[in-house]
Each structure stands twice: as structure tokens, then as C-alpha cells.
Amino acid sequence: MLFMLCLLGFFVVWLFGHVLGFGLYLIVLFIGHLLAYWYIYCPLGILVWLCLSFGVQNILLILAAVIIILALVLTITLVSSKSETTHHS
């Protein structure tokens, strides 16, 4: 009986070690994935946080306004640089 209890103890400790090791492996894998792709998850997390804070429709309106402003700034920059190159020629 004592031998069977020892075998059961060995098995439980062995199983617990494997379960714990697998859990640690998954945690390290997940954290490594987050650290490797931070440039994707960081803006995505900020966007999700903003959507939860302000609402999805407001964030979509803000993003549309930002895109329109950036497009206008890019257009003005390209037109002004094009006009400068024609004046120097």
C-alpha cells in the first residue's frame, strides 16, 4: 500500500510539473508574441480603449476627420513643393 501511495505521489508531482511547465511555456510564448508584435497590438489596444471610452461612432468620425486632415496636408505639401520646383527651373 505504501509503495502504491509513493507511486501515486510521484505521478501527481510529475503531472503537476508538466502542467505547470506547459502553463509557463504558454505564458512565455504569449508575452514573447506580444513583445515581438508590439507595433500592431499597441495601436490596436489604444483604438479599442478609445472605442470603449468614447463609443465606436465617435471614434470612426474622429478617424475620418484625421484622414481627411492628413490628406489635405499631404495635398498642400505636394502642391507647394511642386510649385517651388517650377519656380527654380
Side-chain angles (χ1 to χ4, degrees), residues 36-49:
Y37 296 103
W38 65 270
Y39 51 88
I40 295 172
Y41 291 117
C42 190
L44 189 65
I46 291 171
L47 186 62
V48 168
W49 177 77

Side-chain angles (χ1 to χ4, degrees), residues 4-5 17 28 33-34 36 40 42-44 47 53 55 69 76 88:
M4 289 298 199
L5 287 176
V28 167
H33 181 79
L34 287 179
I40 295 172
C42 190
L44 189 65
L47 186 62
S53 298
I69 289 169
I76 291 170
H88 292 296

Side-chain angles (χ1 to χ4, degrees), residues 56-74:
V56 175
Q57 287 182 338
N58 290 339
I59 295 301
L60 290 177
L61 289 174
I62 291 170
L63 286 175
V66 167
I67 289 171
I68 290 171
I69 289 169
L70 288 175
L72 290 173
V73 167
L74 183 65

Side-chain angles (χ1 to χ4, degrees), residues 11-61:
F11 176 73
V12 169
V13 169
W14 172 82
L15 186 64
F16 180 70
H18 275 41
V19 169
L20 186 67
F22 182 68
L24 285 173
Y25 170 74
L26 287 180
I27 289 171
V28 167
L29 195 68
F30 180 71
I31 291 174
H33 181 79
L34 287 179
L35 289 176
Y37 296 103
W38 65 270
Y39 51 88
I40 295 172
Y41 291 117
C42 190
L44 189 65
I46 291 171
L47 186 62
V48 168
W49 177 77
L50 286 173
C51 286
L52 291 175
S53 298
F54 298 111
V56 175
Q57 287 182 338
N58 290 339
I59 295 301
L60 290 177
L61 289 174

